[in-house]
Amino acid sequence: MSAKPWPEGTGCRILQEVDSTNAEAQRLAPTLSGPEWILAHRQTTGRGRRGRPWANPVGNFTATLVMQPGETPDKVALRSFVASLALFDAFVAATGRVALFALKWPNDVLLNGGKVAGILLESAGAGGTLSHFCIGIGVNLVAAPSRSDVDESAITPVDLQSETGARVTPEEFLDLLAPAFADWEAQFSTYGFAPIRQAWLNRAAKIGEVITARTGKESVVGTFETIDDTGALVLKTASGRRVISAAEVFF
């Protein structure tokens, strides 16, 4: 396991304990002049999507990258795919194994079919302009929530150490993740979403298979065809092609 150099111009702070790395990032954002990673060994009020609690046993990875992007909110949100690709690369660097990992729309990473990492995006701003953007990342490095702690239809949580034998500390994982993110961010900034989209599709789980997308108003069952140039999920259903911009996906 060898890490690339830390990305130039990107800050880093490591905390023993915090309420939530995303909350800390939002507090710090007005004082920062560039992107910064915030890693915490313990969170007291960590949360996932839709406000759900996010368990963070000691030894797992919880960090947030806070940025000050200059683009419109819809383009900024595409960095969830940048973060997914960076996570994929960090896992491969940590284990030397590619085939074990896959990306689940919109922003989870799977290991042997189980969920090993998730991403939470939060932003602040007004008038169509974002003052800052936070990418919160949680990784089950050494422990995973029990099956009873997640929705019965959700993918089973897994951890990196149990599934692969790789023992990686949070700091070591950040040293792999930060350069990987910087590399994909450079592609995104230079060439736009097209190469990010293709790279994500090359690593996507369940392409060509039937999945269920729950939007909050309905459940849509269809064949996972692709994602479009806005990052939306495209399904082929019995009633025609459906483009879904926000949902939770179940296999």
Side-chain angles (χ1 to χ4, degrees):
M1 181 174 63
S2 60
K4 294 181 180 179
W6 185 265
E8 186 176 353
T10 299
C12 176
R13 63 185 73 198
I14 297 175
L15 309 174
Q16 289 305 308
E17 182 176 298
V18 73
D19 51 354
S20 126
T21 56
N22 266 27
E24 180 70 1
Q26 300 218 36
R27 289 189 290 265
L28 289 171
T31 71
L32 301 177
S33 58
E36 181 146 342
W37 283 96
I38 300 163
L39 169 70
H41 285 286
R42 182 171 182 269
Q43 286 191 130
T44 57
T45 58
R47 62 193 187 279
R49 288 196 296 274
R50 302 178 188 267
R52 296 172 181 142
W54 179 273
N56 184 41
V58 174
N60 277 1
F61 178 88
T62 304
T64 296
L65 174 63
V66 58
M67 309 175 69
Q68 300 84 11
E71 308 102 341
T72 56
D74 57 334
K75 183 173 182 182
V76 170
L78 292 173
R79 283 183 174 83
S80 65
F81 297 96
V82 174
S84 295
L85 290 167
L87 273 168
F88 187 99
D89 285 358
F91 282 125
V92 173
T95 64
R97 303 165 78 179
V98 177
L100 303 184
F101 301 95
L103 302 180
K104 175 178 176 284
W105 189 92
N107 45 20
D108 291 335
V109 183
L110 305 183
L111 165 58
N112 290 329
K115 179 175 175 177
V116 70
I119 299 167
L120 176 66
L121 309 178
E122 293 184 323
S123 60
T129 301
L130 298 182
S131 59
H132 62 270
F133 179 65
C134 300
I135 305 172
I137 295 175
V139 179
N140 300 327
L141 290 178
V142 299
S146 68
R147 193 70 184 86
S148 61
D149 291 336
V150 298
D151 188 288
E152 62 181 15
S153 58
I155 289 176
T156 300
V158 298
D159 69 87
L160 187 71
Q161 182 173 305
S162 297
E163 295 291 319
T164 70
R167 175 77 189 202
V168 184
T169 69
E171 287 92 344
E172 287 170 338
F173 193 78
L174 181 59
D175 283 342
L176 298 173
L177 179 61
F181 186 93
D183 287 346
W184 287 110
E185 169 67 17
Q187 284 206 43
F188 180 61
S189 297
T190 304
Y191 303 109
F193 184 56
I196 302 299
R197 172 181 174 272
Q198 189 56 57
W200 189 94
L201 286 169
N202 291 343
R203 296 159 177 78
K206 304 297 183 180
I207 288 279
E209 297 185 31
V210 175
I211 63 174
T212 299
R214 296 180 186 169
T215 67
K217 296 181 179 179
E218 62 177 339
S219 290
V220 182
V221 178
T223 301
F224 179 13
E225 285 193 339
T226 189
I227 59 172
D228 69 11
D229 58 8
T230 70
L233 181 70
V234 180
L235 299 182
K236 180 182 179 182
T237 75
S239 58
R241 203 167 187 250
R242 289 288 303 272
V243 178
I244 299 169
S245 58
E248 292 199 55
V249 165
F250 298 87
F251 298 153

